[in-house]
Amino acid sequence: MDNAEAPAGAAALLADRVAVVTGAGGGIGAATARLFARHGARVVVVDIDADLARGTAEQITSSGGAATAVVADVRDSGQVADLARAVLDRFGRVDVLVNNVGHWLRHPGNFVDTDPQLWDELYRVNLHHVFVVTRAFLPAMIERHAGAIVNVSSVEGLRGYPEDPVYAAFKAAVIHFTRSLAVQVGRDGVRVNAIGPDVTESLQVPYSQWLSAEEQAQWPQWVPIGRMGVPEDQARVILFLASDLSAFVTGHTIPTDGGTGAAGGWFRSSRRAGREWTNRPIAP
């Protein structure tokens, strides 16, 4: 689906809109940037990695879309200010902002073994930049009384995450920031929503490389949808939230998880005679 032809005319959901996508050099961000461009947006591809940013922009332009690559570290308020100034000077507005950057950085072990330096690193890459980038572009949206912001949180912000409570706390904060800001700026014509991905291939979580063939065969048991998610799955929901299709939706986080949240720990069982499902911590 990522290679589908661009829709024509009224079918293009973001025709002539200016969209800024952070972390757009790969994974969910790149898939979102490509999909936005196919729907008529002029996309600003933002990434800290120059080669990745240019690569995504070149993919878009070679397919007939409009894209500009900007190298910036969105954790740095000065670089974000320069980014906002460049976008607004060039285009005069921003219609869509996707705050996609995020990373679990590394497995820290037990909370008591972590230190404030790691907490700060997790804060800056998962929450701080959402504040900084949103604050940089929101005034222009309010001035035009139009805009859509989509934040990328995580399933770990919606459930307990014992491997890293600090990361989970910041992802949960993204969700509550989304909810609260949406209420604050609703009458200013700006909508704010989020997604909470799970079991989706990305640069940070390359399931196709991490899992053995035996483990990959378990996707139909692990995920109600029956497969691993791909970045395009997330991009399509972000497109919905960025477009007028969701004109009456604000303050919400859509769990883009293939049904894992709804399953709540239940798995299909292939080993229990007469029982299709199990919630026991044994191999399903």
Side-chain angles (χ1 to χ4, degrees):
M1 292 185 184
D2 188 48
N3 295 320
E5 293 183 1
L13 296 175
L14 298 178
D16 199 38
R17 298 188 190 182
V18 177
V20 175
V21 182
T22 70
I28 294 170
T32 299
R34 293 192 297 265
L35 185 58
F36 277 12
R38 291 203 303 278
H39 277 269
R42 291 177 284 174
V43 185
V44 180
V45 176
V46 184
D47 204 281
I48 194 172
D49 187 308
D51 291 337
L52 290 177
R54 285 193 289 265
T56 298
E58 288 170 2
Q59 287 176 342
I60 290 171
T61 56
S62 65
S63 298
T68 303
V70 177
V71 179
D73 183 346
V74 293
R75 298 168 299 182
D76 185 302
S77 59
Q79 293 187 43
V80 170
D82 291 342
L83 166 67
R85 189 179 306 111
V87 171
L88 295 173
D89 285 350
R90 177 169 180 175
F91 299 105
R93 69 181 199 275
V94 61
D95 302 292
V96 178
L97 170 63
V98 180
N99 287 311
N100 169 64
V101 168
H103 203 318
W104 46 267
L105 296 180
R106 57 189 179 274
H107 291 295
N110 290 329
F111 172 73
V112 294
D113 298 321
T114 63
D115 59 72
Q117 180 179 346
L118 175 59
W119 306 343
D120 185 63
E121 291 174 10
L122 287 166
Y123 165 64
R124 291 178 64 81
V125 77
N126 289 295
L127 180 60
H128 175 263
H129 77 87
V130 177
F131 298 158
V132 173
V133 180
T134 299
R135 187 174 182 271
F137 287 103
L138 183 58
M141 292 181 172
I142 293 174
E143 182 178 355
R144 297 185 62 250
H145 202 76
I149 299 171
V150 184
N151 298 318
V152 177
S153 180
S154 168
V155 65
E156 312 306 356
L158 293 164
R159 68 182 181 190
Y161 184 44
E163 284 206 323
D164 194 344
V166 176
Y167 171 86
F170 292 138
K171 287 303 187 181
V174 171
I175 291 171
H176 201 60
F177 175 69
T178 296
R179 182 184 297 121
S180 301
L181 183 64
V183 175
Q184 184 180 94
V185 301
R187 291 199 301 179
D188 295 314
V190 181
R191 296 183 302 107
V192 189
N193 291 288
I195 63 169
D198 190 17
V199 291
T200 297
E201 179 91 354
S202 70
L203 291 179
Q204 292 88 3
V205 189
Y207 286 111
S208 60
Q209 300 176 33
W210 283 358
L211 301 184
S212 67
E214 181 181 3
E215 288 173 320
Q216 292 188 40
Q218 295 296 315
W219 283 118
Q221 280 71 48
W222 291 342
V223 183
I225 288 291
R227 63 172 175 83
M228 174 187 71
V230 294
E232 290 73 27
D233 292 318
Q234 307 297 330
R236 285 188 285 272
V237 181
I238 295 172
L239 173 64
F240 163 72
L241 293 173
S243 75
D244 292 341
L245 290 178
S246 60
F248 204 56
V249 178
T250 197
H252 290 284
T253 297
I254 298 178
T256 45
D257 59 9
T260 59
W266 284 92
F267 302 92
R268 289 189 183 275
S269 175
S270 60
R271 302 185 183 184
R272 301 177 69 200
R275 301 286 296 276
E276 185 178 2
W277 297 92
T278 181
N279 64 346
R280 299 178 185 176
I282 59 174

